[in-house]
Amino acid sequence: MGTSDSSSTGTATTIDLLAAFLDEHRDLLAASLDGLTEDEARRRLVPSRTTLLGLVKHATFVERVWFEEARTGTPRRALGLPENAGHSFVLEPADTIASIRAAHRAACQASQTVIADLSGEEIWSGNRRGPLPVPWILLHVLRELAQHAGHADILREQILAARR
């Protein structure tokens, strides 16, 4: 698994480095919910469905699409996932900070287990785009997590500012 730090980057593989950055952005996104109330986590501050809780729920969808669907070819419906990525932001009444965190943590742990066994030479053919090299998939997931961690940072700043 990607547990490289700056002192060991000279011997780390590309997969190790990507895994370390993925873990960092997973943690940043999950931490965006720290200390929030349920109402704050669900608060809509933009016209889209983007909320802090929705971002973490969507990140769970991303993990499962790329490390389950793309790897195994199991259809989204069979995985219990929405067909449309936009629907993965939708919050159900039963969604709570605790339930979304637990689902996110489980999806990330499953992804980390998959990544730990990668050589970087694999091609996964289960995604709708067709066969893709694993390094492309890892970079794509990293880009998406980084983008959403940035969104979460801005939303969290607005929520905390409204407390004053």
Side-chain angles (χ1 to χ4, degrees):
M1 180 171 61
T3 57
S4 304
D5 63 25
S6 59
S7 65
S8 64
T9 57
T11 60
T13 68
T14 299
I15 297 298
D16 290 335
L17 295 172
L18 289 170
F21 279 108
L22 284 166
D23 286 345
E24 179 180 354
H25 285 83
R26 287 172 177 135
D27 291 345
L28 287 169
L29 194 50
S32 72
L33 299 173
D34 289 353
L36 298 182
T37 67
E38 295 291 337
D39 287 340
E40 288 172 330
R42 288 174 165 273
R43 187 167 299 152
R44 285 181 61 180
L45 299 169
V46 294
S48 71
R49 295 177 178 152
T50 305
T51 64
L52 286 173
L53 197 59
L55 281 169
V56 178
K57 186 174 183 178
H58 173 70
T60 303
F61 168 86
V62 168
E63 294 284 342
R64 298 198 58 213
V65 162
W66 289 105
F67 296 104
E68 290 181 57
E69 179 189 35
R71 181 175 56 86
T72 68
T74 305
R76 290 179 188 182
R77 176 168 280 140
L79 294 171
L81 299 173
E83 290 295 320
N84 180 311
H87 294 149
S88 66
F89 288 91
V90 175
L91 297 173
E92 302 299 330
D95 290 334
T96 64
I97 292 171
S99 70
I100 295 296
R101 277 185 193 264
H104 182 249
R105 186 172 31 257
C108 291
Q109 288 171 342
S111 298
Q112 290 165 330
T113 299
V114 169
I115 292 170
D117 295 330
L118 296 176
S119 71
E121 301 298 318
E122 298 85 357
I123 304 286
W124 290 349
S125 57
N127 186 265
R128 297 170 181 188
R129 292 180 173 113
L132 294 166
V134 161
W136 185 96
I137 291 169
L138 297 180
L139 285 167
H140 176 76
V141 174
L142 177 58
R143 182 205 52 81
E144 182 137 351
L145 293 177
Q147 176 182 352
H148 291 316
H151 295 149
D153 189 44
I154 292 166
L155 292 176
R156 183 176 170 84
E157 183 178 337
Q158 290 177 319
I159 288 167
L160 295 178
R163 287 180 174 177
R164 297 182 195 146

